[in-house]
Amino acid sequence: MTASVSAARSTRGKLSSTVQDQQLAEITELFQNRRKGYSLEAPFYTDPSIFKVEMEAIFGTHWLFAASVAEVPEPGDYVTLDYGPHSLIVLRNDDGGVNVLHNVCRHRGARVLTENSGSTGNLVCGYHSWTYSPEGDLIHASSPGEIDFDKNCFALKRAHGRIVAGLIFVSIAAEPPTDFDEVSKIFEPYLAPHDLGSAKVAYQQDIIEEGNWKLVMENNRECYHCDGHPELACSLFPTWGLTDELVPPHLEEVWERNKNAQSALEERCRRYSLPYEVVEELDTRIAGIRISRESLDGDGESFSADGRRLSKKLLGDLRDFRLGRCSMHLQPNSWFHFQSDHVITFAAYPINEHQTLVRTTWLVADDAVEGQDYDLEKLTYTWKQTNLQDKAFVELCQTGAGSPAYQQGPYMKSEYQVEAFINWYTQRVLEHLA
Amino acid sequence: MTASVSAARSTRGKLSSTVQDQQLAEITELFQNRRKGYSLEAPFYTDPSIFKVEMEAIFGTHWLFAASVAEVPEPGDYVTLDYGPHSLIVLRNDDGGVNVLHNVCRHRGARVLTENSGSTGNLVCGYHSWTYSPEGDLIHASSPGEIDFDKNCFALKRAHGRIVAGLIFVSIAAEPPTDFDEVSKIFEPYLAPHDLGSAKVAYQQDIIEEGNWKLVMENNRECYHCDGHPELACSLFPTWGLTDELVPPHLEEVWERNKNAQSALEERCRRYSLPYEVVEELDTRIAGIRISRESLDGDGESFSADGRRLSKKLLGDLRDFRLGRCSMHLQPNSWFHFQSDHVITFAAYPINEHQTLVRTTWLVADDAVEGQDYDLEKLTYTWKQTNLQDKAFVELCQTGAGSPAYQQGPYMKSEYQVEAFINWYTQRVLEHLA
Amino acid sequence: MTASVSAARSTRGKLSSTVQDQQLAEITELFQNRRKGYSLEAPFYTDPSIFKVEMEAIFGTHWLFAASVAEVPEPGDYVTLDYGPHSLIVLRNDDGGVNVLHNVCRHRGARVLTENSGSTGNLVCGYHSWTYSPEGDLIHASSPGEIDFDKNCFALKRAHGRIVAGLIFVSIAAEPPTDFDEVSKIFEPYLAPHDLGSAKVAYQQDIIEEGNWKLVMENNRECYHCDGHPELACSLFPTWGLTDELVPPHLEEVWERNKNAQSALEERCRRYSLPYEVVEELDTRIAGIRISRESLDGDGESFSADGRRLSKKLLGDLRDFRLGRCSMHLQPNSWFHFQSDHVITFAAYPINEHQTLVRTTWLVADDAVEGQDYDLEKLTYTWKQTNLQDKAFVELCQTGAGSPAYQQGPYMKSEYQVEAFINWYTQRVLEHLA
């Protein structure tokens, strides 16, 4: 048993909430014996003990995307964030930063905030009215006769939060990994021109996929399946992830168009001093990242049927609609598309080993007026369709992984980012178990 | 492994239906290390193995409230009672007592009675018509050619039942604890004047709370949360459980009213020779109990918005409506309010470690006519609302207990009966495991 | 741990998908200690580990009825068959036989075919378009740049299939038991005259019973409960399974009618050279079977209220409607009734230890016209009602098996086929574990 699992056991109690020693040995062996270039063995997608390990080694350790500042624009605005057994409060504070608090009352363990989002002053537990400041300090517990009761001992447990380029990240680790500082410096210049601080939420969609969160991520990290996304393929080149030698015959024409559009986009980026180069460190650092600015098909502006803008208002300081998509992938569970007219953030929050919440948020310029500057149905159409298709793909795989006939299959070359995700994941868990 | 768990294992078969040795050692340790004055560790609310231990040490051992005689007034009337993996038949017999039988056919294991309540002569299994007498003896199994078949070997398994002051109690233990005799003598004089034998059921409500049964009980054993019960607080003084030094400023006025009302009630009780003193032995004996007669606010008669009667007919031999509430708490899972105009019985029946059935029954005088002497909506309004609020509180805590950030919290002084419940529970289980 | 379970472990991965050594020892002991003449101990009906053992020892080893040829009449027609964690494709091939393939893509594990039935050329996975021939060979995976990729290594996994007298059987064992050859020769002459090859599906019903698959089978193997089937008892003599000395008084008159009808039927069978003798080898061979032709009550033709035909068209080469029912029971999970006017096939497919899919299919002559030659409601009425009643019986027993008061009960003499089923089952599992 590793020290940290052991520590978790002593604070959290034992038995079903933790992983037994022998299981941990078997799990470690599974990780050590992973076959490179192949999908994971079935238990990675179906075993509740491995899920518990992940909740500690991945989701209990790393920085996770929680929301954009547009979701909590004012002091006191909050969202609650649930994944696995955790519930967090992410609350905008007076300093422009965020307070991150575990959403568990220190009196009898009740959920303190029960809504997905809202605005609040102090935090009042609905059960016995224990009242906490926005920083989590217990400031009131009606108990006139309690002599020995020291309120200082019962603050809400705190977690880490930070804002980078308008994106809010949280970590519940005691000491979050520090190389996120470097990664922040990488992606900040790409995102800054879109100025999320002056954006607003146009729509947010939560869907529950009946599949392990890693199947959600694997699906996100390749476009080999993009024939299954006819709406998306109108604007997103389905040649994404390919190189000259990997392009299949039926995509050769698209590939030419893609290359030409990419050259034009890069020229335009240089004109506006926008970074566009591919930075790809998906499995070569702790806070794995891929970021680049890539062209879109058709008019090259946005995720529409003809590639044309979906909102008439430019974001931030941008002066041109034809900027393709600045796309970012972060390990373990988020991805983003920044266009000149709107931004989409995606995150996969595991519920358990066979269910995942996928949250998609569409952001437009603060001054864009619905029905006038953008049509909400059109704005969200392509990715709503794509999300549903992806959900179906993930669920096909989850069912398959439950079958004794399942056997690890090979990742194709165009799926190298899937392999990178799995590499990253395996390394992080093995490091944690070490 | 204790002898009794071992015995259970040998009769019930093994594997998933029982608790493994190592787990039992860990569970015992959790009980031994319980921190006094604090809520239980998370596994007590979430672990299925601890639930199995409770099903044996608590619900397989003690006397449980099953129903009032008003639910089975005539010979042959029965209710079925389900909790955990058990199903019992509680059947009124010709002698005025009750027969308690395990609701499992001795032929192929089918449920014999499938309704929640009804009236029956012999008990006929619906599968192959095996027929049992009301005492559980197998009196008919159509099997002309069965030579070696001895019907005497296949009676329905029997459990214990008794009636005290119109309340029916059952125990499935081989030898139920005997100190319930003494406890019966304690509460009988308080309840007798309400004469449940001449009452009738006005309404019964079953709700399923998504929480461990102990959270249901803990919630029942304190009024610290009574600000969350606005309807109830009209008649039940929300100062319940407080003493002079514990009253918070916002309740001082109510506290004065409470004290005055209590003095007046006690005077009235003495006039009618009704016992009203507090007997509180919640964790100092095997059949833990608290009983007293306490005043109600307003008119002091019943659980209405103004404290006035909800039924026009007095119960039993009572000659005055203004008798407040005679309230009784019994370990492990029931509580009762006896007013002059109606009675409410409550019981929490565990379904599994995270779900509990709460059954509430309203009783009025046999000659009270619905629509004339009482309005059913008004009669049940206060506690229907209160039950829904309590359900929400319990569920907030169950969710919280599943979070790794959950930590044992301190019981306030006004929650001393919660602590008493937990003390009782811990002692009983440790004795059983010893 | 047995070699085969061990092997399964090494291919399937470990942990929750397999049974631990200690559990396997306990399970083996349970099987070895089974009490003859009595129902099984509770864990056989409730324990997920025993279910896993059965998925290997019974459903992973034996021949199972999958469908009749009428469900896949043309080359390319297929059905998918799901039980436990398995999903199979059963596809009619150009040679008139069937190909049986595991329905798990070799690339990323997705289900390849997602419909219950249909018609297809090549099999194309919906995720990345990997394309397999009807024999399961991988013939296309779009991967221009994949140098080391050998398509021959990634065929769909194959299982065994065979057709006997129009019934399709499958086995996923590496080497299916061979005595099915002998059993096929036993039942073929009984079924051949009904010529399933020229029949068509009139209706198929899937119901999910909330009970262990063995309770479904036990219920099917006795008519002691037939008082619970009033519609069925109009035509099927409820004296089925009895002998002179076992007939209870209330069935004596029926018994006489049964014997007379049986004599007349046998005379008729001899006239047409149809086999009718009882062959009963339910627990005396690996592919356990019982087959016979038995009379029906009333007009003796079919399962109607008066025993009269339900379809006007005779099946196959038959020249007489009054041929009762040729009934066949096969271990582990199917049974069949062949009348002159229609055929009904039944199979129980386990979902998990407490749920079972029961599939019932009604077949009529290919040239029978609905609404003209048969009324679909009337054709299916008797067995639809009977299935619902059986579902209720099974569910009563499943609930009972979960109760600690459950104790093994004795099988009556008229339940000897239940005992034979359990004998067969126990022997097969013990052989497998040996």
Side-chain angles (χ1 to χ4, degrees), chain B residues 11-38:
Chain B
T11 44
R12 291 169 51 193
K14 296 177 183 182
L15 306 167
S16 67
S17 58
T18 51
V19 178
Q20 294 182 353
D21 293 9
Q22 195 198 323
Q23 280 183 304
L24 211 52
E26 290 178 350
I27 290 169
T28 305
E29 204 186 316
L30 275 175
F31 274 94
Q32 286 166 339
N33 295 342
R34 138 158 166 76
R35 183 176 183 188
K36 286 258 175 187
Y38 278 73

Side-chain angles (χ1 to χ4, degrees), chain A residues 68-74 92 96 163-167 191-201 315-317 338 343 363-367:
Chain A
S68 63
V69 290
E71 299 178 53
V72 285
E74 302 294 331
R92 201 73 187 274
I163 302 177
V164 183
L167 300 178
L191 275 47
H194 297 264
D195 190 14
L196 279 185
S198 65
K200 68 173 182 185
V201 174
L315 285 164
D317 302 327
F338 290 80
V343 169
L363 304 160
V364 295
D366 218 355
D367 59 347

Side-chain angles (χ1 to χ4, degrees), chain C residues 66-320:
Chain C
S68 63
V69 290
E71 298 178 54
V72 285
E74 301 294 330
D77 290 350
Y78 70 86
V79 292
T80 54
L81 181 65
D82 291 356
Y83 55 93
H86 300 285
S87 180
L88 299 175
I89 298 165
V90 180
L91 185 143
R92 200 75 187 271
N93 63 28
D94 293 336
D95 305 328
V98 287
N99 301 336
V100 184
L101 303 165
H102 285 278
N103 191 12
V104 182
C105 183
R106 292 296 305 278
H107 175 222
R108 294 268 289 280
R111 281 269 174 282
V112 177
L113 296 180
T114 57
E115 302 292 323
N116 287 337
S117 62
S119 187
T120 186
N122 289 328
L123 311 173
V124 184
C125 177
Y127 199 176
H128 300 93
S129 301
W130 280 34
T131 303
Y132 302 90
S133 75
E135 284 72 40
D137 295 317
L138 177 60
I139 53 179
H140 181 68
S142 64
S143 53
E146 310 288 341
I147 301 159
D148 305 329
F149 182 67
D150 180 359
K151 284 208 266 290
N152 294 321
C153 300
F154 298 100
L156 290 181
K157 292 188 180 179
R158 295 180 180 94
H160 301 274
R162 64 196 296 171
I163 302 177
V164 182
L167 300 179
I168 300 168
F169 296 88
V170 300
S171 171
I172 62 172
E175 295 179 20
T178 54
D179 91 322
F180 193 74
D181 299 346
E182 290 173 33
V183 168
S184 296
K185 282 181 196 138
I186 292 171
F187 70 74
E188 202 162 16
Y190 287 76
L191 275 47
H194 297 264
D195 191 12
L196 280 185
S198 65
K200 68 174 182 183
V201 174
Y203 192 70
Q204 186 167 76
Q205 178 203 52
D206 279 356
I207 56 175
I208 291 176
E209 306 193 3
E210 301 289 328
N212 185 277
W213 70 277
K214 295 188 295 298
L215 291 175
V216 175
M217 297 312 300
E218 293 179 41
N219 176 73
N220 171 250
R221 298 290 153 95
E222 46 94 354
C223 208
Y224 184 22
H225 71 271
C226 279
D227 285 348
H229 293 315
E231 297 84 0
L232 181 63
C234 294
S235 50
L236 189 142
F237 286 109
T239 44
W240 182 78
L242 298 183
T243 54
D244 275 327
E245 64 271 20
L246 292 180
V247 175
H250 77 288
L251 290 178
E252 273 168 15
E253 194 182 319
V254 181
W255 180 240
E256 276 310 303
R257 214 160 63 234
N258 188 354
K259 287 201 292 187
N260 292 336
Q262 188 65 22
S263 299
L265 172 67
E266 294 180 1
E267 165 59 27
R268 196 172 281 105
C269 286
R270 282 191 292 273
R271 192 189 315 158
Y272 298 119
S273 300
L274 295 172
Y276 61 84
E277 297 81 3
V278 178
V279 177
E280 187 163 291
E281 304 190 37
L282 285 165
D283 57 357
T284 48
R285 66 184 312 146
I286 292 172
I289 184 174
R290 184 187 196 279
I291 193 165
S292 67
R293 187 173 290 272
E294 299 181 50
S295 54
L296 289 168
D297 205 350
D299 280 9
E301 296 180 352
S302 203
F303 286 116
S304 56
D306 53 6
R308 194 160 167 73
R309 68 200 67 167
L310 287 163
S311 172
K312 293 177 187 165
K313 289 283 161 64
L314 284 164
L315 285 165
D317 301 327
L318 299 172
R319 285 172 291 158
D320 194 326

Side-chain angles (χ1 to χ4, degrees), chain A residues 97-308:
Chain A
V98 288
N99 301 335
V100 184
L101 304 164
H102 285 276
N103 191 12
V104 182
C105 184
R106 292 297 305 278
H107 174 222
R108 295 267 289 278
R111 281 270 174 278
V112 177
L113 296 181
T114 56
E115 301 293 322
N116 287 337
S117 63
S119 187
T120 187
N122 289 327
L123 311 174
V124 183
C125 178
Y127 199 176
H128 301 92
S129 301
W130 280 33
T131 303
Y132 304 89
S133 75
E135 284 71 40
D137 295 316
L138 178 60
I139 53 179
H140 180 68
S142 64
S143 52
E146 311 287 341
I147 301 161
D148 305 329
F149 182 65
D150 181 359
K151 284 208 263 294
N152 295 321
C153 299
F154 298 100
L156 290 182
K157 293 189 178 178
R158 295 181 179 93
H160 301 274
R162 65 196 295 171
I163 302 177
V164 183
L167 300 178
I168 300 168
F169 295 88
V170 301
S171 171
I172 62 172
E175 296 179 20
T178 55
D179 91 322
F180 193 73
D181 299 345
E182 290 173 35
V183 168
S184 296
K185 284 181 196 135
I186 293 172
F187 70 74
E188 202 162 15
Y190 286 77
L191 275 47
H194 297 264
D195 190 14
L196 279 185
S198 65
K200 68 173 182 185
V201 174
Y203 192 70
Q204 186 167 75
Q205 177 203 52
D206 279 357
I207 56 175
I208 291 176
E209 305 193 2
E210 302 288 329
N212 185 278
W213 70 277
K214 296 187 295 298
L215 290 176
V216 175
M217 296 312 300
E218 292 179 43
N219 176 73
N220 171 251
R221 298 289 154 94
E222 46 95 353
C223 209
Y224 184 22
H225 72 269
C226 280
D227 285 347
H229 293 316
E231 296 83 1
L232 180 62
C234 293
S235 50
L236 188 141
F237 287 108
T239 43
W240 182 79
L242 298 183
T243 54
D244 275 326
E245 63 272 18
L246 292 179
V247 175
H250 78 287
L251 290 177
E252 273 169 15
E253 193 181 321
V254 181
W255 180 241
E256 277 311 303
R257 214 159 63 233
N258 188 356
K259 286 200 292 188
N260 293 335
Q262 187 65 21
S263 300
L265 172 67
E266 294 180 3
E267 166 57 29
R268 195 171 283 106
C269 286
R270 283 190 291 272
R271 191 188 317 156
Y272 299 118
S273 299
L274 296 172
Y276 61 84
E277 297 81 4
V278 178
V279 177
E280 187 163 291
E281 305 189 37
L282 284 165
D283 55 358
T284 49
R285 65 184 312 146
I286 292 172
I289 184 175
R290 185 186 194 280
I291 193 166
S292 66
R293 186 173 292 274
E294 299 180 52
S295 55
L296 288 168
D297 206 350
D299 281 10
E301 297 182 350
S302 203
F303 287 116
S304 56
D306 53 5
R308 196 160 166 73

Side-chain angles (χ1 to χ4, degrees), chain C residues 335-352:
Chain C
W335 61 101
F336 309 83
H337 295 302
F338 291 79
Q339 293 71 242
S340 54
D341 66 333
H342 78 290
V343 168
I344 322 179
T345 68
F346 302 79
Y349 299 110
I351 295 168
N352 52 44

Side-chain angles (χ1 to χ4, degrees), chain A residues 371-402:
Chain A
Q372 182 175 317
D373 294 316
Y374 65 96
D375 178 291
L376 191 56
E377 282 307 305
K378 286 180 185 163
L379 178 73
T380 56
Y381 178 72
T382 295
W383 278 102
K384 274 188 183 169
Q385 292 298 104
T386 303
N387 281 349
L388 284 180
Q389 292 147 3
D390 283 333
K391 172 179 158 73
F393 292 142
V394 164
E395 294 176 356
L396 286 178
C397 288
Q398 184 69 26
T399 320

